[in-house]
Amino acid sequence: MMMGRRGFLRAAALGATAGALGCRRPPRISRSERRPNVVFILTDDMRWDAMGCAGHPFLKTPHLDRLAAEGARFANCFCTTSLCSPSRASMLSGLYAHAHGVTNNFTDYPNELPSFPRQLQAAGYATAYIGKWHMNEESDERRPGFDFWASHKGQAKYYDTEFNINGTRGVLKGYYTTRVTDLAIDWLGQQRPDRPFLLMLGHKAPHSPNTPEPQYEHLFDDVKIEYPPTAFALEGKPDWIRQRLDTWHGIYGPLWGFRKEFPDRRPESVAAFAAFCRAYYATIQSVDDSVGRLYEALRASGQLDNTLILFVGDNGFFLGEHGMMDKRTMHEPSIRIPLLARYPALIPQGGVESRMVLNVDLAPTILDFCGARPLPKVHGRSWRRLAGGEDDMQWRRSWFYAYDYEKQFPYTPNVRGVRTDQWKYIHYPHGDGGPDRHKAELYHLKSDPLETKNLIDDPAHAPKLAELKAELQRLMAAAGALPDRMPLDEGVKAVLPEKSIR
């Protein structure tokens, strides 16, 4: 069934009305008790530096830059598992993946698990989820915690995706980013002025296959793009990174026609890589437009300054660094994510927060801003005081990362590691140490931010290595992640292409 926007919204309104008839009327909140609205904007596979305000050399994002100028940008925000579903579940729950159980992209958020949307809904907020949910690829059913639901199965398409809007299914014609923004603005326009709301908007962009809308398709044609400086600098890296080169997660894989040369600097090879990057960045232009439209809708309704606006990505993304594409690993392009926050009542303008915040911090932070009951036993912490310019001498100085091997994507082994503001230690359980496929990694980030020199075998850094190993164990124990119950590392016998660059 194909529906235009009016028909689809009419069906959605009927579905919302039918759902409301079976629910208890939400409590009315007086103006004296008014709490902030929340607009939570989530992108998929967006790099932390893919914004003008983060210093990108050619990508112009005026609407995101305005959020940063009128609020705060978090320069060191990280995901605790660099994979879409686990990271999204961590944002909702405030928990690491081992605790919420969503350790891959095929598992749904557990119905019985508390979340910040359910807490806000119970506190009287109107709640909506619109766009890409990306947990359990086979279901588009409404999830607990949301009064209004407009989502779909799986990855969706950049054009003409079938949505389930409150139980009514049909193809929403047009460009994905534009259509979900239309739905979000229409929903905002239906909200009561005396009731706070939570809107979560999940974009598809910039997830591949990257398809810019026509007005941006050739925007960066004249921009020169080459491989990053670390693309061929694999000395000292574990052997699995080199083996990953000609897989779906490497720069020589099927996407590039299984190249035979290393390094491959042929003009046609560089051109193919540049085309991918241009399309990736061009889809973000539409996301920036979406943010601008939401901003204006809030301003026109008089709700702009009474709304906590959060803009965040679910995980990072490699664009050739260390010969890699995709995410999953613990290297910087994979784990760093964008985070902007605007709420004039409590967040001063133009702040850049450099302390390390995590995706697990989002749930406790949002509930803190809204004065709602906190979630029990979360791993994250509220950064409301940090964003407000207050000092917090007890803020974290280290955190641990965890990724579990996936049989469907056998190009990355199990990963556990610890990051501080200056150091990073990465190890690969059931295969750590020595000059083999799963050699561990140690980087001094302060002097080597691009992670070019693996210090794991340097005797001079043995005391620091011992310290970081102990810190990793301490952090995992504190989070209830020990004993480590990972499956045996089947990544050792990963299914790689027949011709693998050695």
Side-chain angles (χ1 to χ4, degrees):
M1 175 174 61
M2 299 286 285
M3 287 189 182
R5 181 181 174 192
R6 290 184 178 178
F8 219 156
L9 292 175
R10 189 180 304 113
L14 291 173
T17 302
L21 292 176
C23 301
R24 178 174 57 85
R25 179 178 291 275
R28 185 176 294 273
I29 299 174
S30 69
R31 291 190 180 275
S32 62
E33 298 173 317
R34 183 67 171 164
R35 292 168 287 178
N37 310 307
V38 180
V39 171
F40 187 110
I41 306 166
L42 178 62
T43 57
D44 194 320
D45 285 2
M46 182 172 170
R47 293 171 60 99
W48 71 277
D49 57 357
M51 302 182 292
C53 57
H56 197 274
F58 61 83
L59 180 62
K60 308 300 182 185
T61 54
H63 303 297
L64 292 174
D65 297 352
R66 178 170 56 185
L67 288 186
E70 296 178 359
R73 179 173 69 87
F74 292 79
N76 287 294
C77 184
F78 303 91
C79 57
T80 51
T81 297
S82 184
L83 188 61
C84 303
S85 296
S87 181
R88 290 161 187 254
S90 290
M91 291 177 182
L92 291 172
S93 67
L95 298 171
Y96 266 87
H98 72 269
H100 59 59
V102 183
T103 59
N104 56 55
N105 278 351
F106 307 97
T107 303
D108 208 346
Y109 194 89
N111 282 339
E112 69 278 5
L113 187 66
S115 67
F116 81 80
R118 296 177 82 167
Q119 294 293 88
L120 292 182
Q121 187 184 51
Y125 275 66
T127 59
Y129 195 95
I130 297 172
K132 189 175 185 178
W133 176 251
H134 205 354
M135 282 180 279
N136 184 359
E137 300 283 291
E138 300 303 318
S139 175
D140 63 1
E141 296 290 341
R142 185 204 309 241
R143 276 29 174 214
F146 299 104
D147 306 315
F148 183 85
W149 178 262
S151 191
H152 48 77
K153 295 181 181 180
Q155 287 287 343
K157 300 180 293 184
Y158 275 97
Y159 282 96
D160 302 343
T161 292
E162 181 180 73
F163 274 77
N164 171 8
I165 301 185
N166 281 352
T168 299
R169 291 178 175 84
V171 174
L172 195 57
K173 299 174 64 176
Y175 192 67
Y176 188 100
T177 308
T178 304
R179 294 281 77 88
V180 294
T181 307
D182 292 341
L183 291 176
I185 290 173
D186 285 320
W187 185 83
L188 288 172
Q190 298 171 26
Q191 300 315 297
R192 294 183 346 210
D194 62 339
R195 184 184 181 193
F197 58 79
L198 161 69
L199 167 64
M200 296 190 71
L201 176 60
H203 286 290
K204 175 175 176 61
H207 196 285
S208 62
N210 313 108
T211 307
E213 58 180 323
Q215 63 178 319
Y216 297 128
E217 186 175 359
H218 300 289
L219 182 63
F220 302 124
D221 283 0
D222 296 330
V223 175
K224 184 178 181 180
I225 297 178
E226 297 181 328
Y227 291 117
T230 62
F232 308 119
L234 305 185
E235 297 80 4
K237 294 287 191 294
D239 192 50
W240 70 264
I241 292 180
R242 192 173 182 86
Q243 292 180 6
R244 182 168 148 146
L245 280 170
D246 52 2
T247 73
W248 285 105
H249 296 164
I251 58 173
Y252 287 2
L255 194 61
W256 320 109
F258 291 114
R259 300 174 185 170
K260 298 179 179 179
E261 299 180 19
F262 181 82
D264 188 348
R265 302 184 188 277
R266 294 173 299 161
E268 59 269 32
S269 300
V270 177
F273 172 78
F276 181 95
C277 295
R278 292 188 183 105
Y280 174 91
Y281 288 122
T283 64
I284 296 173
Q285 293 291 164
S286 298
V287 172
D288 187 68
D289 290 344
S290 170
V291 170
R293 293 180 61 199
L294 290 169
Y295 183 102
E296 290 304 319
L298 291 168
R299 184 190 58 77
S301 68
Q303 295 295 334
L304 176 62
D305 287 346
N306 192 48
T307 300
L308 171 63
I309 303 176
L310 296 168
F311 180 89
V312 65
D314 58 359
N315 48 249
F317 196 78
F318 287 106
L319 287 177
E321 293 89 354
H322 315 301
M324 292 192 271
M325 307 297 284
D326 191 63
K327 54 265 186 181
R328 290 176 168 85
T329 85
M330 197 188 167
H331 303 93
E332 291 293 285
S334 174
I335 62 175
R336 296 184 71 173
I337 57 177
L339 175 59
L340 307 175
R342 183 193 190 276
Y343 182 50
L346 293 175
I347 301 177
Q349 292 188 0
V352 178
E353 177 54 59
S354 61
R355 280 166 286 197
M356 297 184 294
V357 299
L358 307 175
N359 56 354
V360 295
D361 296 333
L362 286 165
T365 297
I366 291 168
L367 295 175
D368 190 8
F369 270 101
C370 296
R373 182 176 299 176
L375 294 169
K377 299 180 180 179
V378 296
H379 296 132
R381 296 179 56 187
S382 170
W383 42 253
R384 182 177 64 83
R385 291 177 57 195
L386 293 185
E390 300 181 46
D391 199 7
D392 186 347
M393 300 303 293
Q394 302 303 314
W395 193 255
R396 72 171 58 86
R397 298 177 183 274
S398 62
W399 58 277
F400 82 93
Y401 177 85
Y403 166 81
D404 286 355
Y405 167 81
E406 302 165 89
K407 291 184 179 180
Q408 300 91 339
F409 300 96
Y411 315 125
T412 307
N414 291 309
V415 184
R416 295 295 185 272
V418 60
R419 192 194 191 279
T420 73
D421 58 348
Q422 295 191 24
W423 289 89
K424 180 188 294 182
Y425 165 63
I426 314 172
H427 98 117
Y428 304 99
H430 315 305
D432 191 4
D436 60 6
R437 175 176 160 81
H438 297 92
K439 180 178 182 177
E441 298 176 74
L442 176 68
Y443 299 104
H444 184 217
L445 298 172
K446 185 175 182 180
S447 63
D448 182 23
L450 298 183
E451 300 168 300
T452 61
K453 185 173 179 57
N454 185 4
L455 302 173
I456 197 68
D457 296 324
D458 188 343
H461 295 94
K464 176 58 67 175
L465 177 59
E467 175 188 324
L468 292 172
K469 285 184 175 182
E471 181 66 359
L472 175 59
Q473 293 296 307
R474 184 190 72 81
L475 291 168
M476 292 181 67
L482 292 178
D484 200 339
R485 294 188 177 90
M486 291 180 304
L488 289 177
D489 187 2
E490 297 193 31
V492 172
K493 52 179 184 284
V495 181
L496 297 169
E498 291 184 4
K499 295 182 179 180
S500 180
I501 296 174
R502 303 292 177 181

